[in-house]
Every structure is written in C-alpha cells, then in structure tokens.
Amino acid sequence: MSATDDLLRNNTAYAEAFDKGDLPGPPAKGVAVVSCMDARVVPSRILGLEEGDAHIIKNAGGVVTDDVIRSLAVSQHLMGSREVIVIQHTDCGLVRLTDDAFAERMEEAAGQRPDWSLQAFTDLEQSVRDGVERIRTSPFLPNTESVRGFVYDVATGRLAEVG
Amino acid sequence: MSATDDLLRNNTAYAEAFDKGDLPGPPAKGVAVVSCMDARVVPSRILGLEEGDAHIIKNAGGVVTDDVIRSLAVSQHLMGSREVIVIQHTDCGLVRLTDDAFAERMEEAAGQRPDWSLQAFTDLEQSVRDGVERIRTSPFLPNTESVRGFVYDVATGRLAEVG
C-alpha cells in the first residue's frame, strides 16, 4: 500500500467526524500566512488556526515569488484579508545549494535548465525581510499595514519576529 | 490588538508544549501535497498528517504553476519525496472570475496589469487533471509513479479521486 493510500484512509475518519460544512470562503481572521512547504512547519498548529481561519500559502522556502504575490492578490482583492504573516524557518534546505548549483543539477538530471531558479538564500533573516518588503511594495496588494516577518525555530516550535 | 498578535499568543502555547525538536527535514511519509490556500482546506487534518510527515505546497487554487514545479523539484531532488497528491476543492474563488477580468481589476486598482495571470479555471475536475498531467510530464520531476488528483468537498470533508 502506498503512503497516499494510507493518508486517504485518514481522510475517511476526518470526513466521518466532519462538522465544518458551513464555513464561508473568506478567512475568518482576515490573515494570510506565507511559509515554507517544510513538513515540520505546520501553520495551523504553530499559530493555533482552525478550519476557515486563515489563508495558508506554502512553497519551497517560503520565499515571496510571483506566485505568492498572485495568491496574496486573490486573498486581499477577492477574499478581503488584511494582514500578512511571513514565516521562514531554521534548517531550511534552500540555504544548502546555490541557484546555479541547482540549475546544473537539473541540467544533469533532465537534460535542460529550468526557466525558474531555486530561489536559494544564505541569510535567513534577510530573506524574511526581503519577502516582507516585496509584499509591502507590490502594487497589487492594497493591505500592507500589517505585514510581519518571522523565523520559526524547528527545534523549539517558537516564532521570533524579524525587525 | 491585531489578529496577528492574537495568533502569536497561540504560538507561545504551542512552543511551551513542543516536543518535536528532533525531526529531520525530509518528509517521513515521502509525500508532497499540492493544494489551495483556502482557509477551509487544512491538509494536515484532511490527511491526518503529523509534523514531519509531508511537504505541503499551497497557492491560490492549488494550480500547478512554475513555482509549484520548483517546489516539487526541491521536494524530490533534495528531500527524496516519491509521491504527489494534488487537491483542489469545491467552492473555489478561482472559478468566479476570468484571467482577463482579474487583470482589468488589477489595472483599475494598481494602475498596471501584472505579468502573471489569475490562473482561473471553469472545470474543477479538468483543472485537477491538468495539474496532475503537468507534474507527470515535467522534465524536472523524476518521481511520477504516484501522482494522484482529488477534489476536496468543503461541505463534507471528503476527498474524491479524479480519474
């Protein structure tokens, strides 16, 4: 049995106990969270969120790419969210390789280079600052009064704000 | 007090009870999940995932953009994941507007059109199939034996596989 089949059995149990079928689409807390896809970074638990509370956007690194801006534009323009929380984390895989080294690895494995880059970074706090700044200065995001950035420590479960 | 401040207080409680500080980066179940940022779609609950189990990638719609391919390439090449689960959901905001209508709305609000598109869709199941296909045929993703697509019903909590 695949891991996917295993997880689908968990869904059967979730659906049997499900009692949240009337929730609206717009997030109840008016918050969008941008974070890393890392398996240890579970925003619903880290921030104590229930179903319906907040938009969660996750990609490799929690870096603010065009696709994150697109998602935040939907969140703010179509769903009325007003606050953004950016969370990157300690022990992230994106600090271990450069964009060039990853592109070379892709060329070896796939016979071609992707037209996107790894989005590697070396300074974790600076990467959070860059993400916050990119959100604050995007012409497509009207709600930038509360855009705050954090480092999540995977060893302690604690968020530390990046000033 | 902002919603963000409220959520940060929840983090204090999470960190105080935290006992998962030794988890490795690669996901224990070898699975990456691609789904929508929607606040009602919480993969850790829908699939019964614990911290450390699976990569979670979320964007507006759960559509397979270049940024999702980048994230999956990191997941497979650097973190060894082998299975992908794509989850889109009923009552998604991306069916309510066309790419053009959204671009016009951005032009009105921001004075310019973004160089990304909304990624709107009209047929939910076809959008899931398109996402699965894009993953299966990407030259940058070596592990495509188990790429499965689902529709999550926000009214019932249940996943239905898209064949």
Side-chain angles (χ1 to χ4, degrees), chain A residues 98-118:
Chain A
T98 64
D99 285 357
D100 266 359
F102 188 75
E104 275 165 37
R105 187 155 166 177
M106 288 301 97
E107 189 159 23
E108 278 166 34
Q112 61 187 285
R113 287 182 176 233
D115 53 14
W116 38 265
S117 80
L118 175 62

Side-chain angles (χ1 to χ4, degrees), chain B residues 58-110:
Chain B
K58 294 189 107 208
N59 67 12
V63 289
V64 178
T65 58
D66 274 353
D67 202 47
V68 171
I69 297 291
R70 176 184 71 87
S71 297
L72 288 171
V74 171
S75 179
Q76 295 196 350
H77 283 277
L78 304 186
M79 299 281 182
S81 75
R82 301 200 57 82
E83 300 178 33
V84 185
I85 298 173
V86 176
I87 299 173
Q88 292 190 257
H89 66 93
T90 59
D91 194 38
C92 185
L94 289 202
V95 302
R96 291 187 207 126
L97 220 61
T98 63
D99 285 357
D100 265 359
F102 189 76
E104 275 166 35
R105 188 156 167 175
M106 289 301 97
E107 188 159 23
E108 277 166 33

Side-chain angles (χ1 to χ4, degrees), chain B:
Chain B
M1 200 165 86
S2 68
T4 298
D5 287 321
D6 203 28
L7 300 183
L8 291 175
R9 289 206 303 201
N10 294 343
N11 178 246
T12 303
Y14 178 75
E16 273 164 12
F18 191 74
D19 62 357
K20 296 165 195 289
D22 292 326
L23 293 172
K29 303 274 187 199
V31 171
V33 179
V34 178
S35 79
C36 182
M37 70 176 178
D38 192 283
R40 297 164 294 183
V41 181
V42 184
S44 58
R45 295 185 185 182
I46 292 171
L47 297 170
L49 297 164
E50 297 298 318
E51 285 92 334
D53 276 351
H55 283 148
I56 309 291
I57 299 158
K58 294 189 107 208
N59 67 12
V63 289
V64 178
T65 58
D66 274 353
D67 202 47
V68 171
I69 297 291
R70 176 184 71 87
S71 297
L72 288 171
V74 171
S75 179
Q76 295 196 350
H77 283 277
L78 304 186
M79 299 281 182
S81 75
R82 301 200 57 82
E83 300 178 33
V84 185
I85 298 173
V86 176
I87 299 173
Q88 292 190 257
H89 66 93
T90 59
D91 194 38
C92 185
L94 289 202
V95 302
R96 291 187 207 126
L97 220 61
T98 63
D99 285 357
D100 265 359
F102 189 76
E104 275 166 35
R105 188 156 167 175
M106 289 301 97
E107 188 159 23
E108 277 166 33
Q112 61 187 284
R113 288 185 173 229
D115 53 13
W116 40 264
S117 79
L118 175 61
Q119 306 274 347
F121 53 89
T122 52
D123 182 330
L124 177 60
E125 293 200 358
Q126 189 55 45
S127 181
V128 172
R129 272 184 217 107
D130 291 346
V132 166
E133 184 65 11
R134 184 142 194 243
I135 292 166
R136 283 197 181 131
T137 58
S138 170
F140 306 110
L141 302 178
N143 305 329
T144 55
E145 274 172 42
S146 181
V147 184
R148 292 166 64 180
F150 301 85
V151 167
Y152 176 73
D153 187 334
V154 295
T156 66
R158 204 170 289 276
L159 290 168
E161 187 150 15
V162 177

Side-chain angles (χ1 to χ4, degrees), chain A residues 47-126:
Chain A
L47 297 169
L49 297 163
E50 295 298 319
E51 284 92 335
D53 276 351
H55 284 148
I56 310 291
I57 299 158
K58 295 189 105 206
N59 68 12
V63 289
V64 178
T65 59
D66 274 353
D67 201 48
V68 170
I69 298 292
R70 176 184 71 87
S71 297
L72 289 172
V74 171
S75 178
Q76 296 196 350
H77 284 276
L78 304 186
M79 300 280 181
S81 75
R82 301 200 56 83
E83 300 179 32
V84 186
I85 299 173
V86 175
I87 300 174
Q88 293 190 258
H89 66 93
T90 58
D91 194 37
C92 185
L94 289 201
V95 303
R96 293 189 205 124
L97 220 60
T98 64
D99 285 357
D100 266 359
F102 188 75
E104 275 165 37
R105 187 155 166 177
M106 288 301 97
E107 189 159 23
E108 278 166 34
Q112 61 187 285
R113 287 182 176 233
D115 53 14
W116 38 265
S117 80
L118 175 62
Q119 306 274 347
F121 53 87
T122 51
D123 182 329
L124 177 60
E125 294 200 356
Q126 189 55 45

